[in-house]
Amino acid sequence: MKLKTLVSSLVFAGLSAASQAQLAGHNVILVHGFQSDNLFHPPSSNTEIVQNGENYWSSYWNSRAEARFDWDSSERIEDGTAQRLYDDAVSMSQQGLCTNGCVIVTHSTGDLVTRYFLDNQADWLAAAGHEPLNILTVLDFAGAGGGTEIADTAVSMATSNNVFAWAALEAVKAWVGGDLDSNNLGVLYDLQPSNARNLAVSPSSVPRLRFAGAGNDYYGLTGGFITGTDDGVVPTHSSCGAVSAKSYESCSRDVYFDGAKDSGDVNGPSTLFYNHYAVLMGDDIHHNGAIGNQKGVKLTYVDNHFSAGGINVDFSTKNESKWYWRYNYQYVQNSSNYTMSETVFNTLNN
């Protein structure tokens, strides 16, 4: 696809004007996830897309970021979204946003959008005569980079008109909030696992830190159409960054989502995508709770005490034994007092 320079998006609109919104001394860029309303009411202007992006991150991250990549879920990633990414990247490069290195924070489909961006941005910006953005690391909350089977179900229902598949129709409707047809599927095509896992697959030098949940969402209607453990939208194989789209119950082979340790006997992936690190898991964290206001969940850890792109991952931890159960448990200290995003920011912002 040939990209051309257009008037840049308002990537800094609604964010901190004081230029103090950073993580570990580095500017933060946000990349939001799937917005189902775009499918039924495509944004009529770039201003609306920007406003949607600001609203998406209102719970926590907006005040801790300097910029966003805002995009439209009614468009395909390699089409309209690619052009928006290019325009915003040119603007960010011109303004020197990432001279000191940037951290990208994604949610859901933002994981896949960011992977596509990282795979292409150096070529895009070099061709336009600009320096590529210096991205140090990416924090992926409930990442959908491996796709989700509920997108397969949505596309199938919209294109086959199988009105007798009541359970599937209700699951899709609960997720997207309405009835789909073949003309308003947009990024859902990209979210099908077979498509997601073949989009921008070149190994990247940018570390991807994964934060996954396994909580119930959408009244439990969607889980029956998603492979393995899920957060109501995204399967564990995707949120953990697993190489294979298999049925997993954890990001680890040694610890369950609830922190129970069972060395070598947990059904988790043996291999993650290159430079992907499964960091935190929360048994009751649902899809939107990962970046929202959900508290009261004891988080456990998989990878800890390491550095990724200059960002130190060093969560304070504790072990617990429960007399009535055979497992020992490992937790992040005091994590139930905070949201997942707060726990991550407070630890990594050092």
Side-chain angles (χ1 to χ4, degrees), residues 73-234:
S73 295
S74 71
E75 298 176 331
R76 299 293 300 273
I77 291 176
E78 292 185 288
D79 293 327
T81 295
Q83 183 68 63
R84 297 181 192 284
L85 293 171
Y86 171 78
D87 295 338
D88 288 348
V90 168
S91 177
M92 292 178 191
S93 180
Q94 289 173 330
Q95 297 189 43
L97 182 77
C98 298
T99 300
N100 189 42
C102 281
V103 174
I104 294 180
V105 176
T106 82
H107 179 244
S108 191
T109 311
D111 169 22
L112 182 59
V113 170
T114 297
R115 192 171 78 218
Y116 180 78
F117 169 73
L118 293 175
D119 199 45
N120 290 283
Q121 69 118 353
D123 291 338
W124 289 348
L125 292 173
H130 301 291
E131 286 293 319
L133 301 187
N134 178 21
I135 307 300
L136 301 176
T137 192
V138 181
L139 314 183
D140 295 305
F141 290 87
T148 174
E149 291 79 12
I150 193 65
D152 278 334
T153 304
V155 171
S156 176
M157 292 298 99
T159 56
S160 69
N161 295 316
N162 185 355
V163 297
F164 298 104
W166 178 84
L169 287 169
E170 289 302 306
V172 170
K173 190 172 182 178
W175 177 38
V176 302
D179 294 316
L180 296 169
D181 61 49
S182 58
N183 297 314
N184 68 338
L185 293 174
V187 78
L188 290 182
Y189 283 116
D190 297 314
L191 279 173
Q192 294 180 270
S194 59
N195 293 333
R197 288 174 169 273
N198 284 286
L199 181 69
V201 295
S202 300
S204 173
S205 62
V206 180
R208 308 294 296 264
L209 309 186
R210 319 291 290 186
F211 308 96
N216 190 6
D217 211 352
Y218 300 100
Y219 313 105
L221 293 172
T222 55
F225 300 91
I226 302 174
T227 298
T229 299
D230 65 272
D231 62 11
V233 175
V234 174

